[in-house]
Amino acid sequence: MAFVLPILVPSEVNAQQAPYIKKALESVTVERDIAYVKDGHERQKLDLYVPKSEGDSKLPLVVWVHGGGWAQGSKDRIGSCLWVLKEEFALASVGYRLTDAATFPAQLEDCQAAIKWLKENSGSRGVDPNRIVVWGGSAGGHLVSLLGTTGDPNDPADDISGVIDWYGPSELLTMQVQRTLPVKLDADAPNSFESKLIGGALQENKEKAKKASPVTYVSSDDSPFLIMHGDKDPLVSVTQSKTLHAKLNEAGVPTKLHILRGAGHGGQQFQSESSRKMVREFLNNRLRSE
């Protein structure tokens, strides 16, 4: 059931974030824990936030996909993007099966199922299902990049208007050689986040790793991309984003890469006004240009 909730605070939000969350959700219609797969896994749920708007016009939709190494995190972690509600965009936050429940491509399939549900059901909730941008950070950036590169351009269910990829892996087999972290966080190790994603050590399962890498699928009909990455990221090298950007550019896909000088794996620079301005411009161009 939909309800107007002026002070909804997701369960994983800390005390410092709570006042900001409360303010952002004033006059927002919120639906929590919507099952986008019937009788599915407990993680196959999404939350939908729709600002109250004047008139009968339907709002464009931003879909957030959380990070956490495909093994952690939840759809409650929306602090990075809540500000778009004040810009009169609807917002959906998608949960997906983590690697303790299923290996790739389950995570991508869940995101695809969520997009399909939103396209089929959000129109009655004040959302324009034909205007959707997907956005994610880290593992979420990886998954939205796959959404933007693997979809069938002739299938309306796969059609999205754009992708915002924040510091997401794009080529799993090169993760370790580009990484600047200690050996104990070796991406090629059998127990690494990346290896757990595909169900085995990366270098021993190269075909699986390629199938889980967005660069594998780049083609001329992909969705436009905005890619943002810190040049001091020790976990996912900025080279990952440079590689994806180059592949997209070579294929003729509209793409912009913005490197945040001095930024690591996320952090406050991604919430600066200049960063928000870049995201805002991309959203407006992709969702409000017509």
Side-chain angles (χ1 to χ4, degrees), residues 205-226:
N205 295 272
K206 292 185 177 182
E207 286 307 310
K208 287 183 179 180
K210 290 177 181 178
K211 288 180 180 179
S213 297
V215 294
T216 301
Y217 304 100
V218 171
S219 62
S220 61
D221 49 23
D222 291 343
S223 303
F225 272 69
L226 169 63

Side-chain angles (χ1 to χ4, degrees), residues 17-31:
Q17 291 176 310
Y20 169 69
I21 301 290
K22 292 177 181 180
K23 183 175 178 59
L25 293 178
E26 291 176 354
S27 300
V28 174
T29 300
V30 181
E31 287 185 82

Side-chain angles (χ1 to χ4, degrees), residues 241-270:
S241 284
K242 290 180 178 179
T243 299
L244 177 59
H245 172 68
K247 289 277 188 180
L248 291 165
N249 195 50
E250 182 180 352
V253 179
T255 176
K256 179 176 183 177
L257 170 62
H258 179 65
I259 298 174
L260 284 77
R261 303 300 176 188
H265 195 65
Q268 289 302 310
Q269 284 180 255
F270 287 87

